[in-house]
DNA sequence: CACTTGACTTATT
DNA sequence: TAATAAGCCAAGT
């Protein structure tokens, strides 16, 4: 299987949006998981960058993306400090102290979900 | 054109 | 176990 580690910037961003949109309601994923799914595990930062651009798009549930520890690392980028937590809790996710509770249970990995063959 | 910063992750000390 | 360093890639200054 030949892979293209170097995705086009625009494609990478677009893919990030796609994957984030694929995150089921009540679930969360991590930057690394998305990056890895896209074939750029080390480019987890770029995922965050992409999401920052996606903030203008209401169709991208960026609030479902947290860091690998389940921390709402991106909450500071939301319109309000608690917007991210509020949205997550509105979807049934328990967030406390800016941290997703039962993160392991709520964690949704695109690699697993899409590899359900 | 070079340097700094950033919604991260993994490895090493 | 916790703290620090390095790796990664893009965008802004």
């Amino acid at each position: 299987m030949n892979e293209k580690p170097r995705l086009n910037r625009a494609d990478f961003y677009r893919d990030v949006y796609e994957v984030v949109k694929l995150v089921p309601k009540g679930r969360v994923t991590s930057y690394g998981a998305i990056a890895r799914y896209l074939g750029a595990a080390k480019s987890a930062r770029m995922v965050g960058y992409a999401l920052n651009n996606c903030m203008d798009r209401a169709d991208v549930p960026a609030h479902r993306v947290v860091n690998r520890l389940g921390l709402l690392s991106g909450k500071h980028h939301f319109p309000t400090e608690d917007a991210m937590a509020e949205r997550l809790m509105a979807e049934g996710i328990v967030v406390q102290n800016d941290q997703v509770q039962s993160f392991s249970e709520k964690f949704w990995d695109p690699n697993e979900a899409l590899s359900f063959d």
PDB file of all heavy atoms in Angstrom, chain B:
ATOM      1  P    DC B   1      13.365  33.611  -1.366  1.00  0.00           P
ATOM      2  OP1  DC B   1      12.553  32.523  -1.530  1.00  0.00           O
ATOM      3  OP2  DC B   1      13.299  34.917  -1.962  1.00  0.00           O
ATOM      4  O5'  DC B   1      13.966  33.743   0.104  1.00  0.00           O
ATOM      5  C5'  DC B   1      15.167  34.506   0.230  1.00  0.00           C
ATOM      6  C4'  DC B   1      15.481  34.728   1.690  1.00  0.00           C
ATOM      7  O4'  DC B   1      14.508  35.625   2.261  1.00  0.00           O
ATOM      8  C3'  DC B   1      15.389  33.431   2.496  1.00  0.00           C
ATOM      9  O3'  DC B   1      16.393  33.469   3.516  1.00  0.00           O
ATOM     10  C2'  DC B   1      14.011  33.494   3.104  1.00  0.00           C
ATOM     11  C1'  DC B   1      13.869  34.991   3.358  1.00  0.00           C
ATOM     12  N1   DC B   1      12.464  35.446   3.372  1.00  0.00           N
ATOM     13  C2   DC B   1      11.993  36.114   4.492  1.00  0.00           C
ATOM     14  O2   DC B   1      12.761  36.308   5.434  1.00  0.00           O
ATOM     15  N3   DC B   1      10.709  36.527   4.539  1.00  0.00           N
ATOM     16  C4   DC B   1       9.917  36.310   3.495  1.00  0.00           C
ATOM     17  N4   DC B   1       8.663  36.731   3.565  1.00  0.00           N
ATOM     18  C5   DC B   1      10.371  35.626   2.318  1.00  0.00           C
ATOM     19  C6   DC B   1      11.643  35.216   2.308  1.00  0.00           C
ATOM     20  P    DA B   2      16.739  32.101   4.350  1.00  0.00           P
ATOM     21  OP1  DA B   2      18.187  31.808   4.269  1.00  0.00           O
ATOM     22  OP2  DA B   2      15.765  31.062   4.008  1.00  0.00           O
ATOM     23  O5'  DA B   2      16.420  32.605   5.831  1.00  0.00           O
ATOM     24  C5'  DA B   2      17.126  33.719   6.348  1.00  0.00           C
ATOM     25  C4'  DA B   2      16.723  33.987   7.801  1.00  0.00           C
ATOM     26  O4'  DA B   2      15.389  34.532   7.833  1.00  0.00           O
ATOM     27  C3'  DA B   2      16.702  32.732   8.665  1.00  0.00           C
ATOM     28  O3'  DA B   2      17.173  33.072   9.966  1.00  0.00           O
ATOM     29  C2'  DA B   2      15.241  32.338   8.689  1.00  0.00           C
ATOM     30  C1'  DA B   2      14.533  33.676   8.572  1.00  0.00           C
ATOM     31  N9   DA B   2      13.271  33.613   7.837  1.00  0.00           N
ATOM     32  C8   DA B   2      12.978  32.934   6.683  1.00  0.00           C
ATOM     33  N7   DA B   2      11.750  33.098   6.251  1.00  0.00           N
ATOM     34  C5   DA B   2      11.194  33.960   7.187  1.00  0.00           C
ATOM     35  C6   DA B   2       9.921  34.532   7.317  1.00  0.00           C
ATOM     36  N6   DA B   2       8.941  34.333   6.462  1.00  0.00           N
ATOM     37  N1   DA B   2       9.698  35.345   8.375  1.00  0.00           N
ATOM     38  C2   DA B   2      10.683  35.570   9.249  1.00  0.00           C
ATOM     39  N3   DA B   2      11.923  35.092   9.233  1.00  0.00           N
ATOM     40  C4   DA B   2      12.115  34.284   8.171  1.00  0.00           C
ATOM     41  P    DC B   3      16.977  31.968  11.152  1.00  0.00           P
ATOM     42  OP1  DC B   3      18.150  32.062  12.052  1.00  0.00           O
ATOM     43  OP2  DC B   3      16.581  30.660  10.587  1.00  0.00           O
ATOM     44  O5'  DC B   3      15.705  32.582  11.928  1.00  0.00           O
ATOM     45  C5'  DC B   3      15.694  33.977  12.245  1.00  0.00           C
ATOM     46  C4'  DC B   3      14.597  34.273  13.255  1.00  0.00           C
ATOM     47  O4'  DC B   3      13.324  34.332  12.586  1.00  0.00           O
ATOM     48  C3'  DC B   3      14.452  33.213  14.343  1.00  0.00           C
ATOM     49  O3'  DC B   3      14.111  33.827  15.579  1.00  0.00           O
ATOM     50  C2'  DC B   3      13.327  32.341  13.829  1.00  0.00           C
ATOM     51  C1'  DC B   3      12.453  33.327  13.072  1.00  0.00           C
ATOM     52  N1   DC B   3      11.749  32.733  11.923  1.00  0.00           N
ATOM     53  C2   DC B   3      10.405  33.063  11.717  1.00  0.00           C
ATOM     54  O2   DC B   3       9.853  33.848  12.500  1.00  0.00           O
ATOM     55  N3   DC B   3       9.752  32.522  10.659  1.00  0.00           N
ATOM     56  C4   DC B   3      10.375  31.689   9.835  1.00  0.00           C
ATOM     57  N4   DC B   3       9.679  31.196   8.819  1.00  0.00           N
ATOM     58  C5   DC B   3      11.740  31.334  10.028  1.00  0.00           C
ATOM     59  C6   DC B   3      12.380  31.866  11.070  1.00  0.00           C
ATOM     60  P    DT B   4      13.746  32.876  16.875  1.00  0.00           P
ATOM     61  OP1  DT B   4      14.275  33.546  18.072  1.00  0.00           O
ATOM     62  OP2  DT B   4      14.101  31.467  16.594  1.00  0.00           O
ATOM     63  O5'  DT B   4      12.151  32.981  16.907  1.00  0.00           O
ATOM     64  C5'  DT B   4      11.546  34.272  16.867  1.00  0.00           C
ATOM     65  C4'  DT B   4      10.038  34.159  17.104  1.00  0.00           C
ATOM     66  O4'  DT B   4       9.396  33.666  15.911  1.00  0.00           O
ATOM     67  C3'  DT B   4       9.646  33.227  18.248  1.00  0.00           C
ATOM     68  O3'  DT B   4       8.606  33.820  19.020  1.00  0.00           O
ATOM     69  C2'  DT B   4       9.150  31.972  17.533  1.00  0.00           C
ATOM     70  C1'  DT B   4       8.621  32.511  16.218  1.00  0.00           C
ATOM     71  N1   DT B   4       8.738  31.583  15.065  1.00  0.00           N
ATOM     72  C2   DT B   4       7.640  31.413  14.260  1.00  0.00           C
ATOM     73  O2   DT B   4       6.580  31.974  14.454  1.00  0.00           O
ATOM     74  N3   DT B   4       7.826  30.545  13.199  1.00  0.00           N
ATOM     75  C4   DT B   4       8.977  29.859  12.877  1.00  0.00           C
ATOM     76  O4   DT B   4       8.999  29.127  11.903  1.00  0.00           O
ATOM     77  C5   DT B   4      10.101  30.089  13.780  1.00  0.00           C
ATOM     78  C7   DT B   4      11.394  29.399  13.532  1.00  0.00           C
ATOM     79  C6   DT B   4       9.922  30.936  14.810  1.00  0.00           C
ATOM     80  P    DT B   5       8.034  33.068  20.304  1.00  0.00           P
ATOM     81  OP1  DT B   5       7.674  34.104  21.295  1.00  0.00           O
ATOM     82  OP2  DT B   5       8.932  31.949  20.661  1.00  0.00           O
ATOM     83  O5'  DT B   5       6.675  32.457  19.730  1.00  0.00           O
ATOM     84  C5'  DT B   5       5.764  33.323  19.058  1.00  0.00           C
ATOM     85  C4'  DT B   5       4.548  32.543  18.567  1.00  0.00           C
ATOM     86  O4'  DT B   5       4.893  31.763  17.408  1.00  0.00           O
ATOM     87  C3'  DT B   5       3.958  31.576  19.597  1.00  0.00           C
ATOM     88  O3'  DT B   5       2.551  31.753  19.641  1.00  0.00           O
ATOM     89  C2'  DT B   5       4.322  30.210  19.066  1.00  0.00           C
ATOM     90  C1'  DT B   5       4.395  30.447  17.563  1.00  0.00           C
ATOM     91  N1   DT B   5       5.282  29.546  16.816  1.00  0.00           N
ATOM     92  C2   DT B   5       4.832  29.037  15.623  1.00  0.00           C
ATOM     93  O2   DT B   5       3.736  29.288  15.166  1.00  0.00           O
ATOM     94  N3   DT B   5       5.713  28.216  14.973  1.00  0.00           N
ATOM     95  C4   DT B   5       6.966  27.865  15.383  1.00  0.00           C
ATOM     96  O4   DT B   5       7.655  27.130  14.689  1.00  0.00           O
ATOM     97  C5   DT B   5       7.390  28.428  16.656  1.00  0.00           C
ATOM     98  C7   DT B   5       8.728  28.102  17.202  1.00  0.00           C
ATOM     99  C6   DT B   5       6.529  29.242  17.299  1.00  0.00           C
ATOM    100  P    DG B   6       1.800  31.097  20.871  1.00  0.00           P
ATOM    101  OP1  DG B   6       0.784  32.062  21.335  1.00  0.00           O
ATOM    102  OP2  DG B   6       2.739  30.507  21.843  1.00  0.00           O
ATOM    103  O5'  DG B   6       1.053  29.893  20.126  1.00  0.00           O
ATOM    104  C5'  DG B   6       0.162  30.169  19.047  1.00  0.00           C
ATOM    105  C4'  DG B   6      -0.302  28.873  18.415  1.00  0.00           C
ATOM    106  O4'  DG B   6       0.750  28.334  17.604  1.00  0.00           O
ATOM    107  C3'  DG B   6      -0.663  27.798  19.462  1.00  0.00           C
ATOM    108  O3'  DG B   6      -1.927  27.205  19.181  1.00  0.00           O
ATOM    109  C2'  DG B   6       0.438  26.791  19.335  1.00  0.00           C
ATOM    110  C1'  DG B   6       0.883  26.955  17.879  1.00  0.00           C
ATOM    111  N9   DG B   6       2.266  26.555  17.646  1.00  0.00           N
ATOM    112  C8   DG B   6       3.331  26.706  18.475  1.00  0.00           C
ATOM    113  N7   DG B   6       4.447  26.224  18.000  1.00  0.00           N
ATOM    114  C5   DG B   6       4.085  25.717  16.766  1.00  0.00           C
ATOM    115  C6   DG B   6       4.849  25.071  15.783  1.00  0.00           C
ATOM    116  O6   DG B   6       6.051  24.795  15.788  1.00  0.00           O
ATOM    117  N1   DG B   6       4.097  24.714  14.670  1.00  0.00           N
ATOM    118  C2   DG B   6       2.764  24.959  14.541  1.00  0.00           C
ATOM    119  N2   DG B   6       2.195  24.548  13.406  1.00  0.00           N
ATOM    120  N3   DG B   6       2.020  25.572  15.446  1.00  0.00           N
ATOM    121  C4   DG B   6       2.746  25.921  16.538  1.00  0.00           C
ATOM    122  P    DA B   7      -2.882  27.501  20.418  1.00  0.00           P
ATOM    123  OP1  DA B   7      -3.699  28.715  20.314  1.00  0.00           O
ATOM    124  OP2  DA B   7      -1.975  27.332  21.562  1.00  0.00           O
ATOM    125  O5'  DA B   7      -3.827  26.248  20.261  1.00  0.00           O
ATOM    126  C5'  DA B   7      -4.380  25.680  21.426  1.00  0.00           C
ATOM    127  C4'  DA B   7      -4.890  24.313  21.123  1.00  0.00           C
ATOM    128  O4'  DA B   7      -6.228  24.431  20.592  1.00  0.00           O
ATOM    129  C3'  DA B   7      -4.091  23.495  20.111  1.00  0.00           C
ATOM    130  O3'  DA B   7      -3.835  22.227  20.674  1.00  0.00           O
ATOM    131  C2'  DA B   7      -4.999  23.388  18.909  1.00  0.00           C
ATOM    132  C1'  DA B   7      -6.382  23.448  19.573  1.00  0.00           C
ATOM    133  N9   DA B   7      -7.442  23.907  18.695  1.00  0.00           N
ATOM    134  C8   DA B   7      -7.366  24.765  17.636  1.00  0.00           C
ATOM    135  N7   DA B   7      -8.496  25.010  17.053  1.00  0.00           N
ATOM    136  C5   DA B   7      -9.410  24.248  17.771  1.00  0.00           C
ATOM    137  C6   DA B   7     -10.785  24.066  17.660  1.00  0.00           C
ATOM    138  N6   DA B   7     -11.529  24.662  16.745  1.00  0.00           N
ATOM    139  N1   DA B   7     -11.374  23.244  18.527  1.00  0.00           N
ATOM    140  C2   DA B   7     -10.631  22.641  19.450  1.00  0.00           C
ATOM    141  N3   DA B   7      -9.317  22.746  19.664  1.00  0.00           N
ATOM    142  C4   DA B   7      -8.757  23.575  18.778  1.00  0.00           C
ATOM    143  P    DC B   8      -2.414  21.963  21.349  1.00  0.00           P
ATOM    144  OP1  DC B   8      -2.637  21.857  22.776  1.00  0.00           O
ATOM    145  OP2  DC B   8      -1.358  22.850  20.821  1.00  0.00           O
ATOM    146  O5'  DC B   8      -2.111  20.504  20.788  1.00  0.00           O
ATOM    147  C5'  DC B   8      -3.034  19.801  19.952  1.00  0.00           C
ATOM    148  C4'  DC B   8      -2.413  18.474  19.537  1.00  0.00           C
ATOM    149  O4'  DC B   8      -1.086  18.723  19.068  1.00  0.00           O
ATOM    150  C3'  DC B   8      -2.307  17.479  20.690  1.00  0.00           C
ATOM    151  O3'  DC B   8      -2.605  16.145  20.208  1.00  0.00           O
ATOM    152  C2'  DC B   8      -0.867  17.587  21.119  1.00  0.00           C
ATOM    153  C1'  DC B   8      -0.167  17.939  19.813  1.00  0.00           C
ATOM    154  N1   DC B   8       1.058  18.721  20.053  1.00  0.00           N
ATOM    155  C2   DC B   8       2.277  18.184  19.639  1.00  0.00           C
ATOM    156  O2   DC B   8       2.276  17.094  19.055  1.00  0.00           O
ATOM    157  N3   DC B   8       3.408  18.857  19.898  1.00  0.00           N
ATOM    158  C4   DC B   8       3.364  20.024  20.534  1.00  0.00           C
ATOM    159  N4   DC B   8       4.523  20.641  20.767  1.00  0.00           N
ATOM    160  C5   DC B   8       2.135  20.605  20.956  1.00  0.00           C
ATOM    161  C6   DC B   8       1.018  19.920  20.708  1.00  0.00           C
ATOM    162  P    DT B   9      -2.636  14.968  21.259  1.00  0.00           P
ATOM    163  OP1  DT B   9      -3.664  14.003  20.837  1.00  0.00           O
ATOM    164  OP2  DT B   9      -2.647  15.499  22.635  1.00  0.00           O
ATOM    165  O5'  DT B   9      -1.208  14.309  20.957  1.00  0.00           O
ATOM    166  C5'  DT B   9      -0.888  13.967  19.603  1.00  0.00           C
ATOM    167  C4'  DT B   9       0.400  13.156  19.550  1.00  0.00           C
ATOM    168  O4'  DT B   9       1.534  14.036  19.680  1.00  0.00           O
ATOM    169  C3'  DT B   9       0.510  12.107  20.657  1.00  0.00           C
ATOM    170  O3'  DT B   9       0.862  10.851  20.071  1.00  0.00           O
ATOM    171  C2'  DT B   9       1.606  12.625  21.559  1.00  0.00           C
ATOM    172  C1'  DT B   9       2.431  13.525  20.664  1.00  0.00           C
ATOM    173  N1   DT B   9       3.048  14.679  21.358  1.00  0.00           N
ATOM    174  C2   DT B   9       4.396  14.908  21.182  1.00  0.00           C
ATOM    175  O2   DT B   9       5.108  14.203  20.484  1.00  0.00           O
ATOM    176  N3   DT B   9       4.893  15.994  21.852  1.00  0.00           N
ATOM    177  C4   DT B   9       4.204  16.851  22.671  1.00  0.00           C
ATOM    178  O4   DT B   9       4.767  17.786  23.219  1.00  0.00           O
ATOM    179  C5   DT B   9       2.791  16.560  22.810  1.00  0.00           C
ATOM    180  C7   DT B   9       1.945  17.429  23.677  1.00  0.00           C
ATOM    181  C6   DT B   9       2.289  15.495  22.146  1.00  0.00           C
ATOM    182  P    DT B  10       1.073   9.577  21.048  1.00  0.00           P
ATOM    183  OP1  DT B  10       0.478   8.421  20.365  1.00  0.00           O
ATOM    184  OP2  DT B  10       0.651   9.919  22.421  1.00  0.00           O
ATOM    185  O5'  DT B  10       2.657   9.388  21.055  1.00  0.00           O
ATOM    186  C5'  DT B  10       3.390   9.599  19.853  1.00  0.00           C
ATOM    187  C4'  DT B  10       4.882   9.536  20.120  1.00  0.00           C
ATOM    188  O4'  DT B  10       5.349  10.784  20.653  1.00  0.00           O
ATOM    189  C3'  DT B  10       5.273   8.441  21.113  1.00  0.00           C
ATOM    190  O3'  DT B  10       6.386   7.716  20.590  1.00  0.00           O
ATOM    191  C2'  DT B  10       5.643   9.206  22.371  1.00  0.00           C
ATOM    192  C1'  DT B  10       6.110  10.549  21.836  1.00  0.00           C
ATOM    193  N1   DT B  10       5.877  11.683  22.760  1.00  0.00           N
ATOM    194  C2   DT B  10       6.892  12.591  22.939  1.00  0.00           C
ATOM    195  O2   DT B  10       7.973  12.495  22.387  1.00  0.00           O
ATOM    196  N3   DT B  10       6.608  13.630  23.794  1.00  0.00           N
ATOM    197  C4   DT B  10       5.427  13.838  24.470  1.00  0.00           C
ATOM    198  O4   DT B  10       5.295  14.808  25.199  1.00  0.00           O
ATOM    199  C5   DT B  10       4.401  12.849  24.227  1.00  0.00           C
ATOM    200  C7   DT B  10       3.089  12.989  24.916  1.00  0.00           C
ATOM    201  C6   DT B  10       4.664  11.836  23.393  1.00  0.00           C
ATOM    202  P    DA B  11       6.955   6.514  21.532  1.00  0.00           P
ATOM    203  OP1  DA B  11       7.251   5.408  20.620  1.00  0.00           O
ATOM    204  OP2  DA B  11       6.119   6.287  22.723  1.00  0.00           O
ATOM    205  O5'  DA B  11       8.340   7.160  22.017  1.00  0.00           O
ATOM    206  C5'  DA B  11       9.166   7.839  21.079  1.00  0.00           C
ATOM    207  C4'  DA B  11      10.363   8.471  21.774  1.00  0.00           C
ATOM    208  O4'  DA B  11       9.953   9.636  22.522  1.00  0.00           O
ATOM    209  C3'  DA B  11      11.073   7.556  22.768  1.00  0.00           C
ATOM    210  O3'  DA B  11      12.483   7.708  22.626  1.00  0.00           O
ATOM    211  C2'  DA B  11      10.606   8.064  24.128  1.00  0.00           C
ATOM    212  C1'  DA B  11      10.409   9.545  23.866  1.00  0.00           C
ATOM    213  N9   DA B  11       9.409  10.173  24.727  1.00  0.00           N
ATOM    214  C8   DA B  11       8.124   9.779  24.974  1.00  0.00           C
ATOM    215  N7   DA B  11       7.458  10.560  25.793  1.00  0.00           N
ATOM    216  C5   DA B  11       8.374  11.553  26.109  1.00  0.00           C
ATOM    217  C6   DA B  11       8.303  12.682  26.931  1.00  0.00           C
ATOM    218  N6   DA B  11       7.216  13.048  27.610  1.00  0.00           N
ATOM    219  N1   DA B  11       9.399  13.461  27.029  1.00  0.00           N
ATOM    220  C2   DA B  11      10.491  13.118  26.346  1.00  0.00           C
ATOM    221  N3   DA B  11      10.690  12.079  25.545  1.00  0.00           N
ATOM    222  C4   DA B  11       9.576  11.325  25.467  1.00  0.00           C
ATOM    223  P    DT B  12      13.447   6.774  23.526  1.00  0.00           P
ATOM    224  OP1  DT B  12      14.496   6.290  22.615  1.00  0.00           O
ATOM    225  OP2  DT B  12      12.632   5.816  24.297  1.00  0.00           O
ATOM    226  O5'  DT B  12      14.097   7.834  24.525  1.00  0.00           O
ATOM    227  C5'  DT B  12      14.568   9.089  24.010  1.00  0.00           C
ATOM    228  C4'  DT B  12      14.996  10.002  25.148  1.00  0.00           C
ATOM    229  O4'  DT B  12      13.827  10.557  25.791  1.00  0.00           O
ATOM    230  C3'  DT B  12      15.813   9.313  26.238  1.00  0.00           C
ATOM    231  O3'  DT B  12      16.928  10.122  26.582  1.00  0.00           O
ATOM    232  C2'  DT B  12      14.843   9.207  27.398  1.00  0.00           C
ATOM    233  C1'  DT B  12      13.975  10.427  27.185  1.00  0.00           C
ATOM    234  N1   DT B  12      12.622  10.327  27.763  1.00  0.00           N
ATOM    235  C2   DT B  12      12.201  11.326  28.615  1.00  0.00           C
ATOM    236  O2   DT B  12      12.892  12.288  28.908  1.00  0.00           O
ATOM    237  N3   DT B  12      10.932  11.177  29.107  1.00  0.00           N
ATOM    238  C4   DT B  12      10.052  10.143  28.854  1.00  0.00           C
ATOM    239  O4   DT B  12       8.943  10.141  29.357  1.00  0.00           O
ATOM    240  C5   DT B  12      10.559   9.126  27.961  1.00  0.00           C
ATOM    241  C7   DT B  12       9.688   7.965  27.610  1.00  0.00           C
ATOM    242  C6   DT B  12      11.806   9.269  27.467  1.00  0.00           C
ATOM    243  P    DT B  13      18.043   9.550  27.598  1.00  0.00           P
ATOM    244  OP1  DT B  13      19.363   9.867  27.046  1.00  0.00           O
ATOM    245  OP2  DT B  13      17.711   8.162  27.972  1.00  0.00           O
ATOM    246  O5'  DT B  13      17.770  10.502  28.850  1.00  0.00           O
ATOM    247  C5'  DT B  13      17.649  11.917  28.652  1.00  0.00           C
ATOM    248  C4'  DT B  13      17.412  12.606  29.989  1.00  0.00           C
ATOM    249  O4'  DT B  13      16.024  12.444  30.353  1.00  0.00           O
ATOM    250  C3'  DT B  13      18.237  12.055  31.144  1.00  0.00           C
ATOM    251  O3'  DT B  13      18.691  13.120  31.975  1.00  0.00           O
ATOM    252  C2'  DT B  13      17.257  11.184  31.902  1.00  0.00           C
ATOM    253  C1'  DT B  13      15.944  11.906  31.663  1.00  0.00           C
ATOM    254  N1   DT B  13      14.760  11.029  31.706  1.00  0.00           N
ATOM    255  C2   DT B  13      13.651  11.474  32.382  1.00  0.00           C
ATOM    256  O2   DT B  13      13.605  12.551  32.945  1.00  0.00           O
ATOM    257  N3   DT B  13      12.584  10.616  32.367  1.00  0.00           N
ATOM    258  C4   DT B  13      12.508   9.376  31.770  1.00  0.00           C
ATOM    259  O4   DT B  13      11.478   8.714  31.836  1.00  0.00           O
ATOM    260  C5   DT B  13      13.708   8.976  31.078  1.00  0.00           C
ATOM    261  C7   DT B  13      13.751   7.649  30.388  1.00  0.00           C
ATOM    262  C6   DT B  13      14.773   9.818  31.076  1.00  0.00           C
TER     263       DT B  13
END
